[in-house]
Amino acid sequence: TASTVASAELNRRARAVMPGGNSRTAVYSSPYPIYVRYGHGARVVDVDGTERLDFLNNSTALIHGHAHPTIVRAVAEAAARGTSFGMPTETEVAFAEALTARNETFEHVRFTSTGTEAVMMAVQAARAHTLRPKLAKIAGAYHGAYDATAINNDGSGSLITHATLGIPAGVSDNTVIIPFNDPEGALEVLGRHAGELAAILIDPLPWRIGLVPASAEYLAALRGFCDEHDVVLISDEVGSFRIGMGGAIAEFGYAADLTVLGKVIAGGMPIGAVTGRRDVMAVFDPSAGSPPLPHSGSYNANPVSMSAGLASLALLTSDEMDRINGLGADVRDRMRQILADHTPGGWTVNGNGSLFRVLGPNATGADGRPVNAVNLLSRALLRHGVHIGDSGLGCVSTAMEPDDVDAFARAFTAAADDVRACLAQ
Ligand code: PMP
C-alpha cells in the first residue's frame, strides 16, 4: 500500500486553518483526504508521489481529463489578456454562440461562475417570470448549495422537507418535495400547490439518488403539469449534459423551459449557465431599464472560463462523445461482471453515456457492525491505483483509451476481492 504520510501531514497543517482541513464536504474523507499535487490526462499524482487513474474527474466536470494541452493553452492565452473585466468580452459572445448551437431550445444564455449559482438564477428567473413563490424538487436530488434547492438533497427518498441547520423554515415552506419516477404521486403533491408554483426543478439523471434516469412517463407527467399550470420546467444538467451532444433533454426527448449547465462545458474552469426560452430569459434583460431580475457577479462570464469553454466544446465532437460513451458502457458492463463474479451480491451499477454510479448492498463487516460497502470499495480502489467518488460516482474522460479501461478492470477486480474479505460471509 502506497504511503500517504505527506497527505496526513498536510491535513495536520490544514486542520489548524480550515474546519476538517479543506473547503468542500464532498472531497473530505476520513481520517484525512489524500491531497493532490497535479494531474495529467487520465491520471492524478498525490503529494506522496503516488499516481492513480482518475475515474472521478472532479465530480465528472473534467470531460477532457487533466491539463488537456488545448485547454491549458486557451486558459493561458486568456489569462495573459486579463482575467476579468468590468466589460463584456468577445469570448463570451463566441462561447454563447457555441453553447446555444448545441440544442435548439437553448435560445438565450447567461453565464455564472458555478452550477449552484446557475440553479439559483434559474429558480429566481422562474419566480420573476411567473410571479409565484414555490419551487418543486425531487426527493433526495442534489442541485448545489443554493438555499431553496439544498433541501432534502441527501439522496434519501423521504418526502419530508428537511433542510440543513443553515436554512430557515421560511425557505423550506416554499420548496415542495415530489417523489421520483412516480407520476401519480408527483402530480398529487403538485396539484396541492398548483397556483403557487413557479418551477419544477428536475435533473433527469440524478446522481445522488442513484443515477437512475427519469422515466418517459414521469417526464411527460411533469411537462403536462407545467403546460397546464404555466409552471417553468427546469432541467438541471450540470452533471447530465455530458451524456449527449444536445444534453439530457435531447437524449431523453423531453422539453424543458430552462436548462442549467455547468461542469463539462468549461473543461474544468469554474462555470455555470442558465439557458432556454427567450421569453423567460427576458427577465434578465436590462435594455428597457432595470430588469425584473438583476443578475450580478464580478466573475460572471469571466474570459478565462469562456475561453476554456470554447476549447472544451470544440474538443467534444460527436465522434469523441460516441467514443467515451462506448467506453462508459464497457466500464459499466465490466463492473457488473466483476461484482457478480467476486462478491456475494447485492450490487447495482447504473449510468448513461460516460457516467456511472455503483450502489452496494446493506452490508455487515466481519465484526458484525453495519458497513458502507461502496465506501469500502472506493477505498480499496484507491489502494489499487484508481480514484472514484466515495459514493461510487465516476466517469470516463476523452483522455482515456481502452487500455485505461483494462487497467480499471484489473484494479476493480482486486478491490472487489478486498471488499469480499472485509464483509461478513
Ligand atoms: N446541480 C447538479 C445536478 C450537480 O451535480 C451540481 C454539482 N455536483 C450542481 C448543481 C452544483 O454545481 P457547482 O458544484 O458547480 O456549484
Side-chain angles (χ1 to χ4, degrees):
T1 298
S3 162
T4 58
V5 289
S7 284
E9 171 54 21
L10 251 186
N11 189 247
R12 196 191 56 75
R13 251 175 73 196
R15 276 175 193 274
V17 284
M18 288 180 280
N22 80 328
S23 299
R24 190 170 164 197
T25 311
V27 304
Y28 177 77
S29 83
S30 179
Y32 51 85
I34 291 178
Y35 289 73
V36 68
R37 186 183 290 156
Y38 67 95
H40 62 103
R43 289 167 173 77
V44 277
V45 178
D46 73 14
V47 289
D48 285 278
T50 303
E51 181 171 277
R52 296 181 180 85
L53 266 173
D54 188 0
F55 273 78
L56 181 56
N57 286 299
N58 187 21
S59 298
T60 76
L62 300 165
I63 198 161
H64 302 301
H66 298 278
H68 189 292
T70 309
I71 297 176
V72 171
R73 198 176 323 116
V75 167
E77 286 173 5
R81 291 190 296 265
T83 50
S84 61
F85 301 98
M87 290 181 266
T89 64
E90 185 181 349
T91 332
E92 173 181 356
V93 181
F95 187 41
E97 288 166 347
L99 201 57
T100 53
R102 291 264 161 163
N103 189 306
E104 63 184 14
T105 73
F106 298 172
E107 293 176 354
H108 272 181
V109 61
R110 278 220 158 202
F111 296 109
T112 62
S113 294
T114 65
T116 287
E117 278 177 279
V119 168
M120 175 174 83
M121 295 319 302
V123 172
Q124 291 185 359
R127 288 183 172 140
H129 177 74
T130 60
L131 303 177
R132 297 188 201 132
K134 291 191 177 174
L135 167 74
K137 78 174 284 282
I138 283 146
Y142 183 78
H143 298 279
Y146 170 52
D147 277 22
T149 67
I151 292 167
N152 198 329
N153 70 356
D154 64 356
S156 89
S158 156
L159 287 184
I160 296 164
T161 308
H162 49 85
T164 73
L165 294 178
I167 298 172
V171 175
S172 28
D173 290 348
N174 285 306
T175 300
V176 173
I177 305 298
I178 56 175
F180 185 53
N181 270 351
D182 171 3
E184 276 159 35
L187 289 177
E188 197 271 313
V189 179
L190 291 169
R192 282 190 259 132
H193 301 271
E196 299 168 292
L197 278 168
I200 300 176
L201 175 64
I202 175 169
D203 174 350
L205 191 62
W207 66 270
R208 198 167 265 185
I209 48 177
L211 212 66
V212 177
S215 69
E217 305 73 60
Y218 187 66
L219 292 169
L222 298 187
R223 181 68 264 173
F225 180 89
C226 287
D227 288 343
E228 195 179 329
H229 298 280
D230 275 331
V231 173
V232 176
L233 187 60
I234 306 172
S235 187
D236 178 353
E237 305 193 7
V238 169
S240 49
F241 179 73
R242 65 149 62 213
I243 68 173
M245 289 297 279
I249 47 171
E251 293 304 305
F252 293 137
Y254 82 109
D257 301 302
L258 294 180
T259 299
V260 178
L261 304 171
K263 291 191 173 174
V264 300
I265 64 165
M269 286 297 292
I271 194 69
V274 188
T275 184
R277 261 170 53 191
R278 204 179 273 263
D279 62 323
V280 182
M281 295 294 291
V283 297
F284 294 115
D285 188 348
S287 43
S290 180
L293 183 58
H295 174 212
S296 319
S298 305
Y299 302 102
N300 290 355
N302 85 79
V304 185
S305 291
M306 299 294 102
S307 204
L310 268 175
S312 180
L313 285 187
L315 290 167
L316 203 56
T317 59
S318 69
D319 283 354
E320 272 302 82
M321 190 72 98
D322 289 348
R323 190 178 73 81
I324 61 169
N325 288 354
L327 291 177
D330 192 23
V331 166
R332 290 189 296 270
D333 285 345
R334 289 167 82 167
M335 283 192 284
R336 287 186 191 110
Q337 192 60 52
I338 294 164
L339 289 165
D341 293 346
H342 291 260
T343 69
W347 299 82
T348 312
V349 177
N350 293 329
N352 287 54
S354 50
L355 291 165
F356 65 78
R357 183 162 175 202
V358 190
L359 303 172
N362 287 326
T364 309
D367 60 2
R369 296 202 188 153
V371 285
N372 183 327
V374 175
N375 274 353
L376 286 179
L377 179 71
S378 64
R379 277 152 210 219
L381 274 170
L382 271 183
R383 290 195 299 276
H384 294 289
V386 170
H387 188 208
I388 68 166
D390 263 357
S391 65
L393 181 71
C395 65
V396 169
S397 77
T398 63
M400 291 175 180
E401 298 294 337
D403 277 359
D404 299 311
V405 174
D406 291 343
F408 175 89
R410 284 193 297 276
F412 199 82
T413 305
D417 285 337
D418 287 1
V419 172
R420 189 188 54 218
C422 292
L423 299 181
Q425 299 298 315

